[in-house]
Amino acid sequence: NEENIPSPPPAAESLQVNEIRAESSSDYEAKLAESLKGLPGAKTTSYTRTPLAGLCNQYMRFVGMSFLATQEGYDEIIEESILWKDTYGTEEMIPHYMLWDVVHWNTFYPTIPRFASFDSKVHTDLVLSTSEVKYGEDTVFIKKDVRFNPNISVNIYKEATPRGLGNNPNQARNRFMQFEKKLSWGNTLPETEMYKTILGGALRPHPNLQLIINNTIAELNGAEEKGYMVLHARIEPDMMRQNVRVCTDKRVMNMTDIINMLYEKFPEPPVSAVLLVFSRDIIENEEANDKQDDDFHKLNSHNLKILNELRENGMWGGKVKVVEAGSRMVEESGNDFYAYYYNFVGSIVNFFIAVQATILVGTEVSTFSTYAMNSRFYRELRENYFYRPGGLYWMSPPNQTKPHRFGC
């Protein structure tokens, strides 16, 4: 594969930034309210499960939930029943419509199920609950979600109005994993067009969040607009120690080895900037732990030293600046709501900056790298590389006809 890897195309050809123009909140809210009106005669469901773990795990469940809704013949999902969890941050639930562009999503119906608002006159077995979220100095956000009436006497998945979706806690995730396995076998599946539609752009960030992404991309591209590379360096000590015997033929944990692979592939700078995606907190916490002195700890110290040198000196002899991804872009965006949920929102920002990169380099032992590359695959952004012990592996050459299946 190494011999057949082409040079990256010009940034103008490879970089596809969502064309979202700034509009007033009231304008978008009016469009959202119109888009969320239920369709006459539509078969509607309400999702009953709460999200778990980080962004990519929740992402898999969301796609699997969409598969389930279509499989069971539903046209619409109650929007207020969909929540995302700010795991590792506030641990609070975040309404779906505050993170994602629901107006855009609904334009893809009937290929994918649309979202509709809760209507107490129609959805008689649901109850709406509200809570206050205080953020910024004096701002209060009223958070809404719906759940089935706890006093309901009928089976919510068979007799309630509307019917429930997700009668098994892991049903959505399992449905997604089954689909991926069958797709990797080359099977023709009814969900394939849905999957292509969702990863290809139907699920995109809320316009206000996309503006943060676009502004960051503009900074990375620089005045020359040569594009940017995202390097997902999954070298944190938790990855070193966790499942150390799994996928050993695909793991690279030494930052120096990864950087040398890039220099070997690209002798000259291919981009204006490199965005490093990794968890500095985890690496620095390991460094500060004086009770550890094993080989993993020593490798972590080496990696931290290399990461600091890259941030200070750049790459390709200082010709390419190196920027660290993280929550800073969200915290400094001026949007107090997103800054409050900076941990989870930062993950979304990092993910979609990776999706829109000129070149993406990552590891197949990570769901972040894998699903970002699969999204790019369906957008015909083919400059995607996994680093392996033997060098860079081109994940999506022109003759590749299906996305990569995560297997680690």
Side-chain angles (χ1 to χ4, degrees):
N1 274 322
E2 176 68 24
E3 295 178 357
N4 297 321
I5 298 177
S7 298
E13 295 177 17
S14 63
L15 181 63
Q16 297 180 359
V17 177
N18 286 335
E19 290 295 330
I20 297 179
R21 299 288 180 258
E23 59 182 335
S24 69
S25 295
S26 59
D27 287 343
Y28 182 77
E29 288 173 5
K31 293 179 182 178
L32 180 63
E34 183 66 28
S35 176
L36 285 172
K37 289 181 179 179
L39 299 179
K43 187 177 179 182
T44 305
T45 186
S46 183
Y47 191 52
T48 62
R49 299 298 170 181
T50 53
L52 300 169
L55 171 63
C56 289
N57 196 298
Q58 295 183 50
Y59 181 93
M60 287 188 283
R61 291 174 184 269
F62 177 82
V63 176
M65 178 212 64
S66 301
F67 290 167
L68 287 175
T70 298
Q71 177 183 317
E72 297 184 18
Y74 293 112
D75 302 292
E76 298 179 334
I77 304 169
I78 301 298
E79 190 278 329
E80 292 90 341
S81 71
I82 307 301
L83 300 170
W84 299 74
K85 187 176 181 180
D86 181 27
T87 312
Y88 316 123
T90 64
E91 298 293 333
E92 296 176 6
M93 299 296 176
I94 311 173
H96 177 77
Y97 79 94
M98 291 298 292
L99 297 173
W100 308 101
D101 190 344
V102 176
V103 176
H104 178 69
W105 171 280
N106 277 359
T107 64
F108 292 91
Y109 172 80
T111 302
I112 52 179
R114 67 190 302 276
F115 290 107
S117 290
F118 165 72
D119 185 337
S120 60
K121 295 179 181 178
V122 178
H123 311 127
T124 53
D125 287 324
L126 293 176
V127 291
L128 180 71
S129 63
T130 61
S131 59
E132 290 187 354
V133 177
K134 295 182 180 180
Y135 62 93
E137 293 185 4
D138 54 2
T139 307
V140 175
F141 172 75
I142 305 300
K143 185 163 55 177
K144 302 177 181 179
D145 65 90
V146 295
R147 289 294 178 264
F148 281 93
N149 189 326
N151 298 318
I152 193 170
S153 59
V154 299
N155 186 316
I156 63 174
Y157 300 104
K158 295 180 179 180
E159 303 172 71
T161 304
R163 301 286 193 271
L165 181 70
N167 61 347
N168 182 290
N170 292 316
Q171 189 179 17
R173 188 177 187 277
N174 291 343
R175 187 70 191 84
F176 177 84
M177 301 299 285
Q178 291 166 4
F179 166 80
E180 273 204 320
K181 179 188 293 185
K182 293 178 181 178
L183 185 66
S184 71
W185 294 342
N187 293 359
T188 300
L189 304 167
E191 300 91 348
T192 301
E193 193 60 32
M194 287 181 63
Y195 190 61
K196 290 169 61 177
T197 300
I198 295 171
L199 271 66
L203 183 66
R204 74 181 186 187
H206 186 287
N208 290 341
L209 192 49
Q210 184 65 46
L211 286 174
I212 298 174
I213 294 169
N214 289 353
N215 289 337
T216 303
I217 287 174
E219 292 180 13
L220 291 170
N221 278 330
E224 296 181 2
E225 296 188 349
K226 289 183 60 178
Y228 65 97
M229 174 190 295
V230 169
L231 171 57
H232 182 211
R234 189 63 173 96
I235 56 170
E236 296 87 353
D238 65 313
M239 177 61 78
M240 294 182 194
R241 293 190 171 95
Q242 186 180 39
N243 299 324
V244 68
R245 294 183 177 86
V246 177
C247 296
T248 55
D249 60 326
K250 299 172 183 176
R251 289 174 181 256
V252 181
M253 303 305 302
N254 189 312
M255 194 65 195
T256 298
D257 292 341
I258 297 171
I259 295 303
N260 286 340
M261 291 179 198
L262 291 176
Y263 289 151
E264 182 178 354
K265 167 59 195 145
F266 304 106
E268 296 298 323
V271 290
S272 298
V274 171
L275 183 72
L276 280 177
V277 178
F278 71 101
S279 176
R280 176 171 283 276
D281 285 346
I282 294 177
I283 292 176
E284 290 186 340
N285 287 341
E286 172 74 20
E287 178 68 7
N289 185 356
D290 55 13
K291 295 181 180 180
Q292 288 284 4
D293 192 33
D294 57 12
D295 290 341
F296 297 127
H297 185 79
K298 293 174 183 176
L299 179 55
N300 181 79
S301 297
H302 168 80
N303 287 339
L304 179 60
K305 176 176 178 290
I306 299 302
L307 289 166
N308 289 338
E309 290 175 355
L310 291 171
R311 184 175 63 177
E312 180 72 22
N313 304 321
M315 294 179 64
W316 283 276
K319 296 177 182 177
V320 174
K321 65 179 178 181
V322 173
V323 180
E324 288 185 16
S327 60
R328 175 189 59 81
M329 297 173 284
V330 176
E331 293 178 281
E332 298 176 0
S333 68
N335 187 306
D336 288 341
F337 180 86
Y338 292 139
Y340 179 75
Y341 294 113
Y342 69 87
N343 189 290
F344 189 76
V345 172
S347 297
I348 295 176
V349 169
N350 290 340
F351 184 86
F352 281 91
I353 289 176
V355 168
Q356 296 172 208
T358 310
I359 303 170
L360 176 57
V361 180
T363 171
E364 59 204 294
V365 303
S366 161
T367 53
F368 180 97
S369 291
T370 299
Y371 294 125
M373 290 188 187
N374 285 348
S375 294
R376 290 166 58 81
F377 173 82
Y378 285 122
R379 302 173 193 218
E380 290 301 323
L381 297 171
R382 297 285 184 140
E383 292 296 315
N384 306 301
Y385 306 96
F386 287 135
Y387 47 80
R388 289 178 173 176
L392 288 186
Y393 171 81
W394 192 15
M395 173 268 187
S396 49
N399 62 348
Q400 183 74 18
T401 59
K402 56 189 178 183
H404 183 78
R405 179 191 173 199
F406 177 74
C408 293

